[in-house]
Amino acid sequence: MGEAELDGRLRSAVRAGDAEAVRDLLDRGADPDAVDAGGLPVLCLAVAAYDVPVAEVLVEGGADPDRVLPDGTTPLWRAVDGGSPAVFTAVLGKEPRLRLPEADRERLLALARGWYETGAVEELRRRTGAPGPATTVRVQDDEYDWVDSVSLGDLTVRAGHGAVLTSLEWAFRILTPVDELVARAVEQPDEAHVTWSTVGWILTRRRSFETWSAVVVHRHDREPAQRRFVVDYLRTRGFLDTSPYYEKKEAELLAAWAAEETDAELLAKVLDAYTDRDHPGQEAIGLRHGDHPDPRVRREVPYALATAGAPRTPAARAALLTLMRDPDTEVRLRACTASMRDDDLLPEITRALLLLTEDPDPDPRGAAAAALAGSPDRTPAVADALAGLLDEDNRLVRLEAAYGLALRDDPRTAEAIERVGPLGDGFEHDHRVDALWRWRWRRQEENTAAE
């Protein structure tokens, strides 16, 4: 296949949004900067279509984000203009863009800042001159985060320029004041909004104590959104930063916060972050909130009462027993699963889980199946309950039931495996499927040896 034909097929694959075909054609020698009839490189087609996978493949394959186009823009400029943080990130690439001339950096920053400060609707009105109302639709920008898509006249843009500006500043190693970034984040007080998540991510990458201090001081703000942002920041840091210095400081901060927070939704989030860290005061915090009127708070208490290797105190055990009888289903489930390895509590755990297998809601039944499957309780009552769940419509519940029977080498396991049915793709490395395969293999080996 000649170069011209490869490039033609590449253009078609980009227009079709076929990222795998684009990758294959690039591997076979297609030009990543191939242009269409209007002289625009194919990367601009992906940017205009908000096609993140294709844009990523093109940039990884060598497409030039800084190529100057006939109108004086670049693909990166167009990605900034389009307002999609996901598309912008794909076009930006993985390295800081400090190699760009300062004038080009300032131009990109001014573009993003202009959109952000003016607002998508007003900027579209300025560009189109259209007098009517704008149309705003929430769209998924990447796998996790959403953004508003705004249309006016003949133009459409995604209103994620606050996130784009934040990422661009970080790419150019501009340390925007923390208070300014937090204010950007909470304009849309939703953890799944692109600006909230981008600001949080960038702040976790700024690892100085000054940044950390400037963020956590917002836990004292009166507005719940600022406090929620701090919790989200600390939870993200808990996944990324294993420094003992910060771990201790954050555990102490969260312990103090858990004793003071009055907003139930926030308190639940604080407890969730707190119980991810080791702290000697966890049991006391758990006991303090064990009878909280809001079930969202009580759902976090079992994890505060879960000790790592140390025996539970009588007070903690009594609190967990109470939570196993809680009116809220999720509280009961969490109390059971957090206490599963406590032999003294196991009979009560089993009783609570067996009741949940009869719940009219299929979700608690599925969660109870998963808990009972891995339970150390090997009594016939548990095996019978698992066998009873093989009639569930949900294939995953049937899988959990079969898995639990296989672990117990129950004579109903072969039938259970048949009742699970085909699982399809995505289960190749599933531990439950592996256990069922091993059970079958052992049975075949035993049957062969007996012949």
Side-chain angles (χ1 to χ4, degrees), residues 119 184 208 210 222 245 269 284 322 359 377 407 438 441:
R184 275 183 207 169
S208 71
E210 289 76 15
R222 294 181 60 185
Y245 173 78
K269 292 179 180 295
T322 299
D359 195 281
D377 189 320
L407 292 180
R438 290 178 181 277
W441 180 82

Side-chain angles (χ1 to χ4, degrees), residues 290-337:
D291 59 352
H292 195 281
D294 194 305
R296 292 172 297 181
V297 176
R298 299 198 305 277
R299 289 169 193 166
E300 304 302 328
V301 170
Y303 305 121
L305 301 176
T307 54
R312 286 191 175 91
T313 65
R317 190 169 282 121
L320 285 164
L321 284 170
T322 299
L323 292 169
M324 288 176 203
R325 304 182 184 101
D326 195 273
D328 182 80
T329 301
E330 187 64 26
V331 173
R332 300 199 301 276
L333 276 168
R334 294 189 183 193
C336 291
T337 55

